[in-house]
Amino acid sequence: MPHTLGLRQVDVFASGPLTGNPVAVVHDADDLTDDRMAAFARWTNLSETTFLLAPTHARADYRVRIWTPGGELPFAGHPTLGTAHAWLEAGGVPRTEGAVVQECGVGNVTLRRGAPGRPDDGRLAFAGPPLLRSGSVAPEDLAHLARALRVPVSDVVDAAWVDNGPGWVAALLPDAAAVLAVEPDLAAFGDLKIGVVGPYEPGESDAAVEVRAFVPGLGVAEDPVTGSLNAGIGEWLAGPVLPESYVASQGTVLGRRGRVHVRRDTDGVVWVGGDTVTTISGSVTL
């Protein structure tokens, strides 16, 4: 029997109207089957669609399931911010003052408003979950990565696994211009989910780096703005290579103007925040 449920579409990491990455959030989705969730995610054709359910963990405020057009993810960043925004806007009250606890495939993820030391900036931010895979990239994987990106291996300054759930491997290129120039061979990716990052020169942009994310295996050729990847890059580079607090630009090639606020706090936790705004509100029958 069809269910009529609340629906919000939230623009995440936006720097103005329609500049970020939208996520569709379906409320009260406990009675939906996996097949129905997957079908709706394919239908929206957004990089992610999420479904809010009652939590099963005592500390969690809600449970979320995150779907791409190609399948379910245990964690993703822009859906985490967008889902928390939708839950709060719909009247959700956190169990713990000052924090929202999201239950998802990687466990509980904590969100709060404001970066460490900046509680009044108003942005939702999530604590990056622990990396499931980190460290250097084997030569054969590096060759595969470079072939998929259509760049010489010698142009890859460094590469590392930064997988906090989706499976990310990241490549550091010499500069932001090199990132913007990438024209990937999507057929060569196989199962790889590749993130690319390169720095701007001081004064060249309001952002410190340009980031791009490619996940053709999940039906998303290029993701407009990506919280999980930026969290993984922050775990890898914030401090030793990049500042401990910086802004990443993403989505430029796609005509977006995403801005991701990354900060490593004194405890070593990487927080990823961004502006969130509801652009569509209504209901859906599934």
Side-chain angles (χ1 to χ4, degrees):
M1 182 176 178
H3 302 272
T4 299
L5 305 170
L7 173 70
R8 282 175 168 81
Q9 189 160 304
V10 182
D11 200 13
V12 182
F13 298 124
S15 57
L18 310 179
T19 57
N21 195 1
V23 58
V25 184
V26 179
H27 295 260
D28 303 315
D30 298 81
D31 293 332
L32 293 183
T33 65
D34 288 9
D35 287 346
R36 213 69 187 137
M37 292 182 189
F40 186 58
R42 289 192 299 270
W43 184 83
T44 67
N45 202 33
L46 297 172
S47 53
E48 281 102 359
T49 298
T50 69
F51 299 86
L52 272 162
L53 304 97
T56 63
H57 191 281
R59 287 187 56 247
D61 293 304
Y62 60 82
R63 182 162 67 100
V64 66
R65 295 184 65 181
I66 303 167
W67 293 79
T68 74
E72 188 173 9
L73 293 176
F75 171 75
H78 106 270
T80 291
L81 294 180
T83 302
H85 171 102
W87 182 79
L88 289 165
E89 191 173 75
V93 178
R95 298 170 190 261
T96 304
E97 186 177 355
V100 174
V101 179
Q102 169 183 285
E103 180 184 348
C104 57
V106 297
N108 288 345
V109 175
T110 300
L111 299 99
R112 64 187 180 196
R113 287 202 181 274
R118 303 174 189 171
D120 59 346
D121 75 5
R123 296 185 186 94
L124 280 170
F126 66 85
L131 295 182
L132 304 176
R133 185 178 184 183
S134 60
S136 59
V137 178
E140 60 270 22
D141 291 326
L142 180 59
H144 185 181
L145 177 153
R147 186 168 64 252
L149 294 176
R150 288 195 177 113
V151 300
V153 171
S154 58
D155 283 2
V156 179
V157 177
D158 200 0
W161 292 98
V162 293
D163 177 18
N164 47 25
W168 293 113
V169 61
L172 174 63
L173 298 188
D175 51 38
V179 171
L180 293 170
V182 168
E183 296 182 356
D185 179 0
L186 298 177
F189 271 66
D191 292 333
L192 284 182
K193 291 91 173 173
I194 300 176
V196 189
V197 57
Y200 281 103
E201 291 293 330
E204 189 179 7
S205 170
D206 63 326
V209 295
E210 185 71 29
V211 172
R212 295 176 71 186
F214 305 101
V215 282
L218 290 175
V220 183
E222 180 168 357
D223 192 35
V225 201
T226 317
S228 60
L229 172 62
N230 278 286
I233 290 172
E235 290 273 1
W236 176 33
L237 299 178
V241 175
L242 298 175
E244 291 190 343
S245 179
Y246 65 90
V247 176
S249 165
Q250 193 176 350
T252 305
V253 172
L254 300 177
R256 311 291 177 87
R257 196 178 183 278
R259 291 296 184 269
V260 184
H261 297 257
V262 181
R263 183 179 178 89
R264 183 188 293 275
D265 69 16
T266 55
D267 295 325
V269 177
V270 172
W271 290 86
V272 174
D275 291 322
T276 53
V277 59
T278 299
T279 54
I280 299 172
S281 181
S283 63
V284 60
T285 300
L286 296 172

